[in-house]
């Protein structure tokens, strides 16, 4: 039986939902993916329809389970990984959302955050949650919904409403409304969770004026979250792993030793460094977060979060229409003459280490030769240069300079990007065989809880290198490009740094 066992991973991302069935060796047996609509009601606002998130998840799960079955592999358990911070409130009785999901990229609560900051609340928030007062995180999004949907605050106080990040919403729906839970990694992104005590924090709930009655129970990342309702998924399966997508990627990349870093390139880019059992505070405006929690024991990470990575390529494709497919970016960048051209992709503000929610995108250094290829080159460069800023901040906080970076996510199919990343960061960049590491991490967590693996560490031997990219430009050239980048960023910031 064991050789036919598989694990279903649900990866509910910002632009698409994916379901992947892995075998126990971490190989992909079946996969299904569906995109869904992004809503931009105002400048800086981003929403999803929670029903779209659910429908695309259920549909892709059904397709992947069917294809895996045809290949002789039966999923025994489910792991969920998800876009983080995205906030949903729904009615406990009907299961109906009371507002669209407010997506992590949404900046509508920038003013609220600025007011809380001016009132001097950031040190307490940072000390307890490891985060900063930025609209990125869930708390001010929840407060916005409670304030802007008629009657919501009272219904919340009466226990009629439930809050969840996307994992919790899917768990609720997949279990037919029987489980209202999340894991410690997702809770760590709300601004309401004390990462040291690993518990919801009453002072923070009071600060953001959020009733405790809406909160889900917080479990380990490998835990018994519930069992799927066969009417929803067509099968009764346990859900035994949950982690935010960037945390799941730490697990999928087997970054189990302190000091190891992974960087994931999807819509945004998120670099996490494992810091073991120490929640290391940042002096460089990085985030401190729970990387994963097993048997009640949290492992922490330092995180650098960039809001726009692959989304810059999507913008070239969907808004400017200058490329037809993301994959074209590789050949175009290779042919470009883009010396001195910089795109600062602050479409939804800038994340780490700048944290400027009001900044907006800018391009510098246009000339008569600037064409499609140069735009593409500048977009890909911005991903590498932002990563460089994160790595520098991490080296400062951890006191150790890294030599290698493990990468994953949809963008890392692009070889030009990874060579440029090595060149502009000065680090060796390692791409594993499986770049769907967020899904793989969720599968590992579920497999661990199901007893299919002995420990996370026992999975290290499954990590396999696909290709290593070594830095190939001189330090002087690198410093020159980075200097121009910092100049462009300074001209984009509204915070006067
Ligand atoms: N070959 C490529 N070169 C550059 N960018 C790419 C390439 N393939 C995909 N992308 C970008 O990667 C992103 C998709 O990655 P994915 O990991 O699926 O994202 P998410 O989980 O955030 O939805 C898209 O933003 C897309 O523009
Ligand atoms: O959808 P992704 O993969 O870009 O990930 C989104 C992050 O979880 C946001 O914090």
């Amino acid at each position: 039986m064991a050789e036919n066992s598989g694990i279903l991973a649900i990866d509910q991302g910002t632009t698409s939902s994916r379901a992947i069935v892995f075998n126990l060796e971490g190989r992909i047996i079946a996969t299904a993916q569906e995109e869904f609509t992004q809503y931009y009601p105002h400048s800086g606002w981003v929403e999803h329809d929670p029903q779209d998130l659910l429908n695309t998840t259920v549909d892709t799960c059904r397709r992947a389970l069917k294809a895996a079955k045809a290949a002789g592999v039966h999923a025994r358990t489910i792991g969920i990984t998800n876009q983080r911070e995205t906030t949903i409130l729904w009615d406990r009785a009907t299961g109906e959302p009371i507002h669209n999901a407010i997506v992590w990229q949404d900046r509508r609560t920038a003013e609220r955050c600025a007011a809380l900051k001016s009132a001097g609340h950031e040190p307490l928030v940072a000390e307890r949650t490891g985060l900063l007062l930025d609209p990125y995180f869930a708390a001010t999004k929840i407060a916005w919904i409670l304030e802007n949907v008629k009657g919501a605050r009272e219904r919340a106080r009466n226990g009629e409403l439930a809050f969840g990040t996307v994992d919790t919403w899917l768990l609720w729906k997949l279990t037919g409304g029987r489980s209202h839970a999340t894991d410690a990694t997702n809770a760590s992104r709300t601004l309401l969770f004390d990462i040291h005590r690993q518990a919801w924090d009453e002072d923070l709930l009071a600060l953001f004026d959020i009733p405790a009655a809406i909160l889900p129970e917080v479990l380990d990342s490998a835990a018994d979250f519930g069992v799927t309702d066969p009417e929803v998924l067509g099968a009764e399966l346990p859900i035994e792993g949950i982690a935010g997508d960037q945390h799941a990627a730490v697990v999928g990349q087997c970054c189990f030793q302190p000091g190891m870093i992974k960087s994931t390139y999807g819509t945004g880019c998120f670099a996490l460094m494992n810091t073991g059992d120490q929640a290391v505070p940042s002096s460089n405006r990085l985030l401190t977060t729970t990387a994963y929690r097993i048997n009640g024991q949290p492992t922490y990470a330092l995180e650098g979060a960039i809001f726009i990575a692959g989304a810059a390529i999507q913008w070239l494709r969907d808004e400017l229409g200058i490329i037809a497919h993301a994959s074209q970016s590789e050949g175009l960048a290779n042919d470009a003459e883009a010396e001195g051209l910089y795109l600062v992709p602050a479409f939804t503000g800038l994340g780490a280490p700048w944290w400027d929610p009001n900044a907006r995108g800018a391009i510098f250094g246009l000339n008569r030769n600037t064409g499609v290829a140069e735009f593409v080159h500048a977009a890909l460069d911005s991903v590498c240069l932002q990563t460089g800023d994160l790595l520098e901040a991490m080296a400062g906080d951890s006191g150790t300079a890294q030599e290698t970076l493990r990468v994953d996510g949809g963008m890392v199919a692009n070889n030009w990007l990874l060579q440029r990343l090595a060149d502009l960061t000065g680090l060796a960049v390692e791409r594993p065989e499986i770049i769907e590491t967020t899904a793989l991490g969720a599968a590992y967590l579920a497999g661990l809880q199901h007893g299919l693996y002995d420990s996370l560490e026992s999975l290290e031997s499954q990590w396999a290198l696909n290709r290593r990219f070594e830095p190939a430009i001189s330090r002087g050239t690198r410093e020159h490009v980075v200097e121009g980048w910092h100049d462009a960023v300074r001209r984009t910031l509204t915070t006067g740094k």
Side-chain angles (χ1 to χ4, degrees):
M1 169 186 138
E3 65 270 22
N4 291 329
S5 290
I7 305 170
L8 171 65
I10 294 171
D11 183 357
Q12 203 306 300
T14 312
T15 57
S16 71
S17 300
R18 245 167 303 190
I20 301 179
V21 176
F22 292 94
N23 68 13
L24 300 191
E25 288 72 48
R27 297 265 167 266
I28 294 176
I29 302 300
T31 179
Q33 179 169 11
E34 271 177 42
E35 293 201 3
F36 49 82
T37 309
Q38 309 285 317
Y39 296 96
Y40 308 110
H42 299 288
S43 168
W45 293 31
V46 189
E47 295 183 357
H48 293 157
D49 180 345
Q51 202 58 44
D52 285 349
L53 305 183
L54 176 66
N55 293 345
T56 52
T57 296
V58 168
D59 198 43
T60 51
C61 282
R62 283 175 178 263
R63 281 163 45 206
L65 286 171
K66 196 170 159 196
K69 205 167 170 188
V73 174
H74 301 262
R76 308 284 170 205
T77 178
I78 300 179
I80 300 178
T81 183
N82 54 289
Q83 53 167 321
R84 308 166 301 165
E85 299 98 11
T86 298
T87 296
I88 307 174
L89 268 83
W90 63 94
D91 185 307
R92 287 181 188 271
T94 63
E96 284 295 312
I98 64 163
H99 192 274
N100 263 351
I102 302 186
V103 176
W104 57 276
Q105 293 164 315
D106 191 291
R107 316 272 85 197
R108 78 186 63 185
T109 59
E111 263 180 42
R112 175 84 191 259
C113 290
L116 288 165
K117 229 192 247 186
S118 316
H121 293 298
E122 193 162 73
L124 174 84
V125 168
E127 198 274 310
R128 299 230 175 131
T129 68
L131 310 175
L132 299 163
L133 276 170
D134 189 89
Y136 175 28
F137 306 106
T140 57
K141 299 182 199 288
I142 301 174
W144 189 94
I145 296 177
L146 293 178
E147 272 148 35
N148 287 277
V149 174
K150 202 161 171 262
R153 186 169 295 284
E154 197 177 339
R155 286 164 71 201
R157 275 200 206 102
N158 294 341
E160 293 168 35
L161 300 183
F163 152 71
T165 39
V166 173
D167 55 311
T168 304
W169 164 248
L170 294 178
L171 179 69
W172 174 280
K173 286 293 188 181
L174 292 174
T175 60
R178 285 194 297 272
S179 294
H180 186 215
T182 189
D183 89 302
T185 69
N186 276 293
S188 296
R189 314 299 294 186
T190 57
L191 280 181
L192 302 171
F193 189 72
D194 182 330
I195 59 169
H196 311 283
R197 290 189 300 113
Q198 292 282 309
W200 297 118
D201 188 282
E202 282 181 16
D203 296 334
L204 297 173
L205 286 164
L207 178 67
F208 293 104
D209 198 11
I210 292 172
I214 66 171
L215 297 174
E217 183 186 2
V218 183
L219 303 177
D220 285 347
S221 311
D224 295 328
F225 287 96
V227 175
T228 57
D229 180 340
E231 296 216 349
V232 182
L233 206 58
E236 199 175 62
L237 284 169
I239 298 172
E240 295 178 291
I242 291 187
D245 53 10
Q246 305 311 322
H247 314 257
V250 173
V251 175
Q253 285 274 30
C254 299
C255 289
F256 303 131
Q257 307 307 325
M260 291 180 84
I261 310 179
K262 73 86 207 176
S263 194
T264 301
Y265 296 88
T267 304
C269 158
F270 303 87
L272 271 76
M273 177 196 271
N274 185 321
T275 60
D277 56 8
Q278 299 298 314
V280 176
S282 174
S283 320
N284 293 301
R285 298 184 74 70
L286 296 177
L287 308 172
T288 307
T289 197
T290 309
Y292 46 88
R293 197 176 90 189
I294 309 287
N295 296 327
Q297 175 60 51
T299 296
Y300 293 99
L302 270 172
E303 170 175 333
I306 300 168
F307 300 144
I308 302 287
I313 300 300
Q314 263 172 343
W315 173 70
L316 298 177
R317 187 193 65 182
D318 300 342
E319 310 307 321
L320 299 192
I322 59 176
I323 55 172
H325 301 287
S327 56
Q328 285 176 310
S329 61
E330 183 162 353
L332 284 163
N334 200 32
D335 295 339
E337 288 290 338
E339 168 79 30
L341 184 69
Y342 292 98
L343 170 70
V344 184
F347 302 130
T348 55
L350 282 171
W354 316 103
W355 297 106
D356 183 348
N358 297 315
R360 287 295 175 268
I363 186 148
F364 299 95
L366 294 172
N367 65 39
R368 287 288 296 269
N369 290 325
T370 306
V372 171
E374 285 70 30
F375 261 78
V376 169
H377 187 288
L380 293 177
D381 260 12
S382 75
V383 174
C384 304
L385 290 160
Q386 290 182 97
T387 306
D389 290 340
L390 298 183
L391 296 174
E392 199 186 312
M394 263 178 198
D397 280 336
S398 65
T400 43
Q402 296 308 310
E403 284 166 14
T404 52
L405 178 66
R406 289 186 173 184
V407 297
D408 54 77
M411 281 194 105
V412 307
N414 187 321
N415 291 323
W416 187 91
L417 172 76
L418 295 192
Q419 183 56 52
R420 189 74 173 158
L421 185 62
D423 289 346
L424 293 183
T425 60
L427 264 64
V429 170
E430 292 186 339
R431 178 172 62 199
E433 279 295 334
I434 304 285
I435 62 171
E436 299 279 4
T437 50
T438 51
L440 184 60
Y444 281 164
L445 289 166
L448 183 67
Q449 182 67 12
H450 201 75
L452 299 171
Y453 305 118
D454 294 337
S455 65
L456 283 185
E457 289 70 18
S458 70
L459 295 162
E460 273 166 5
S461 58
Q462 291 200 3
W463 191 91
L465 181 69
N466 166 266
R467 186 165 163 190
R468 187 175 155 104
F469 299 81
E470 299 284 353
I473 61 171
S474 71
R475 192 179 169 152
T477 309
R478 175 162 63 245
E479 283 172 357
H480 176 69
V481 178
V482 172
E483 213 170 280
W485 162 251
H486 285 154
D487 184 46
V489 171
R490 265 191 297 277
R491 290 152 79 184
T492 309
L493 291 172
T494 64
T495 48
K497 277 181 195 157

